Amino acid sequence: MHRPRRLKAPVTREKLIEAAGEIFAEKGLHGTSIRDITQRAGANVASVNYHFHDKFELYAQVLRRAHEGIVAAMSRPLTAKTPEGRFRELITAMLKSALDPSRPKWQTRVLGRELFQPTPVLDLMYDLVRPTAHRLSQTMGEMRPDLSFQQLTLAAAGVVARAVFHVYHGHLVQRMFPAAPEATPDELIEHVVEFSLAALRGLQAPPACGQNHRPRSCRATAKRRANAAHARRVR
Amino acid sequence: MHRPRRLKAPVTREKLIEAAGEIFAEKGLHGTSIRDITQRAGANVASVNYHFHDKFELYAQVLRRAHEGIVAAMSRPLTAKTPEGRFRELITAMLKSALDPSRPKWQTRVLGRELFQPTPVLDLMYDLVRPTAHRLSQTMGEMRPDLSFQQLTLAAAGVVARAVFHVYHGHLVQRMFPAAPEATPDELIEHVVEFSLAALRGLQAPPACGQNHRPRSCRATAKRRANAAHARRVR
DNA sequence: CGCGCTGTCAAACGCGCGTTTTAAACAACC
DNA sequence: GGTTGTTTAAAACGCGCGTTTGACAGCGCG
């Protein structure tokens, strides 16, 4: 109780998290045994229950570690002047960070699993994606202030879907279109940007508001328009 | 060997597959125990090993059943005359069949799990998506014969991504944009169609071929153009 | 009826799991 | 060196898992 004497070795902790991350990413929480983990980490079976209370706490730590790694790679400020430029920056940040080979691959996968197998730690996943999604829809709203809120949300969700899907299910695309040459990350980014921009430019705005129908969406749109106008004035 | 005497009861088989489908969809292969399944089915523990050889064979049968259900719901012929019409039909068929409440929900989920946890039965998933993806990219190619093969493939993959993502990760969209009103299936279909069509119209074709650069993609594009021209002539 | 076959059931087997226990090795301070 | 607290190691525990067993009921048929 006197002083934190721990000068020696939380190195086992690190090796456990790393090994656990790799195997959890591959086989999931239920498909992974503590003996698998400790064997890969070169540690004893009891080490998991010593350093973490139990298997689930280790799993939670693994997810937290993955979360930190991805957030660190993804939260750079946007510098571009035009909305189009910021849009491109966002897409690039998303995909570059997800595909960055210098970060261990399990960090992306282990979090992606939560999408299908929600454990109590799923909120980390939400916290991870929400700010990016928010910046995305906001940027898109600056480009098309005339679109309805729902149109923007659905469009932004579509862009996120495109990125997430490729990261996690790229192999499926490969198998769906076997004749297609695999796109490089740069080509993919370029395509997502161009595709989305083309769609965004071409989308039809909802009928003018202030009329007799669609009161809810029109109210939201009106507010958004006011906000956009305010932002323009401030800048 | 004389005659198929089985007049009595393969009803337990059915109850097992149904119960197993529900629990597999919820907890995955490793997270589900035979005792869970047999209890929900109102059968004995040994029934799984009697009717199927082991747990994995039951899982395979569950996947096969889900596969049949979805294929039956999705493989209707396209009747529309214009490519836009057929495009809309395809999107509608994809999402309507995936969200059809008259089909048990586990059929969709249990197959979707294979995307993250590939088991040896994963090929079913590919066979499921490939024909739709093929029809999709072909229809899109008819609308824009000037686009490169890779552009079309990426665009089609984007559309599939949009649909699949919403089916499996709709809850994430809900959490990303909590302020957004949840889109009804019809609104979603409408948006995916309009968004994709707008993008498809706005995409820039690659620089004219026959020049000195990009030989591969240009060759493919040239072939596609020839095919499209041929199709037009035949029709 | 006796016989063979199908399907069900309770009970048990063996194994691997997560976890606990116990003791020893180690490092820092007196 | 002795003491104290931290970290590792080996072995064991209890439990739930997938699977197997053996007995038994229903049923068509000679």
Side-chain angles (χ1 to χ4, degrees), chain A:
Chain A
M1 185 59 89
H2 302 255
R3 253 182 298 155
R5 228 205 290 193
R6 47 174 66 185
L7 288 181
K8 214 195 93 183
V11 59
T12 306
R13 262 187 81 101
E14 287 307 306
K15 287 200 290 186
L16 281 177
I17 289 186
E18 197 71 20
E22 294 169 7
I23 311 187
F24 280 146
E26 193 185 343
K27 310 192 179 186
L29 171 59
H30 293 297
T32 304
S33 77
I34 289 189
R35 283 168 174 86
D36 287 345
I37 297 170
T38 51
Q39 181 172 340
R40 178 173 300 201
N44 190 271
V45 236
S47 56
V48 163
N49 297 76
Y50 174 76
H51 288 282
F52 318 87
H53 296 155
D54 54 16
K55 185 186 180 182
F56 300 97
E57 180 60 26
L58 168 59
Y59 184 69
Q61 294 289 341
V62 164
L63 283 194
R64 217 175 312 273
R65 175 66 53 92
H67 182 254
E68 290 167 5
I70 298 183
V71 162
M74 207 163 70
S75 63
R76 278 168 295 182
L78 303 182
T79 63
K81 293 291 182 296
T82 67
E84 281 86 356
R86 287 196 292 277
F87 182 79
R88 180 180 298 272
E89 273 187 294
L90 272 170
I91 307 287
T92 307
M94 266 197 281
L95 284 170
K96 274 276 192 351
S97 84
L99 304 174
D100 180 7
S102 76
R103 216 166 24 80
K105 265 175 293 186
W106 59 264
Q107 294 189 356
T108 310
R109 273 196 70 79
V110 92
L111 267 176
R113 277 188 175 279
E114 292 292 302
L115 289 179
F116 261 101
Q117 191 84 259
T119 70
V121 210
L122 176 60
D123 289 316
L124 282 179
M125 187 78 192
Y126 292 136
D127 293 342
L128 183 64
V129 185
R130 194 182 294 115
T132 302
H134 185 67
R135 289 202 287 180
L136 192 62
S137 70
Q138 185 158 326
T139 304
M140 293 167 77
E142 291 170 15
M143 293 193 266
R144 289 292 303 270
D146 56 324
L147 292 184
S148 75
F149 183 56
Q150 187 175 43
Q151 275 180 308
L152 277 178
T153 302
L154 285 170
V159 176
V160 174
R162 185 65 176 96
V164 171
F165 186 80
H166 181 270
V167 171
Y168 291 122
H169 311 305
H171 61 100
L172 187 129
V173 177
Q174 187 77 18
R175 295 283 293 263
M176 282 194 305
F177 304 100
E182 194 171 10
T184 67
D186 286 340
E187 286 173 334
L188 183 75
I189 292 172
E190 188 62 24
H191 172 265
V192 175
V193 170
E194 291 308 324
F195 189 87
S196 310
L197 286 181
L200 208 53
R201 291 193 203 100
L203 268 188
Q204 291 216 334
C209 290
Q211 317 283 25
N212 49 352
H213 59 318
R214 300 230 219 166
R216 191 186 57 178
S217 71
C218 276
R219 230 186 298 133
T221 306
K223 207 165 80 177
R224 277 204 48 262
R225 280 183 189 143
N227 289 345
H230 175 70
R232 253 178 263 119
R233 253 177 280 121
V234 169
R235 206 180 310 147

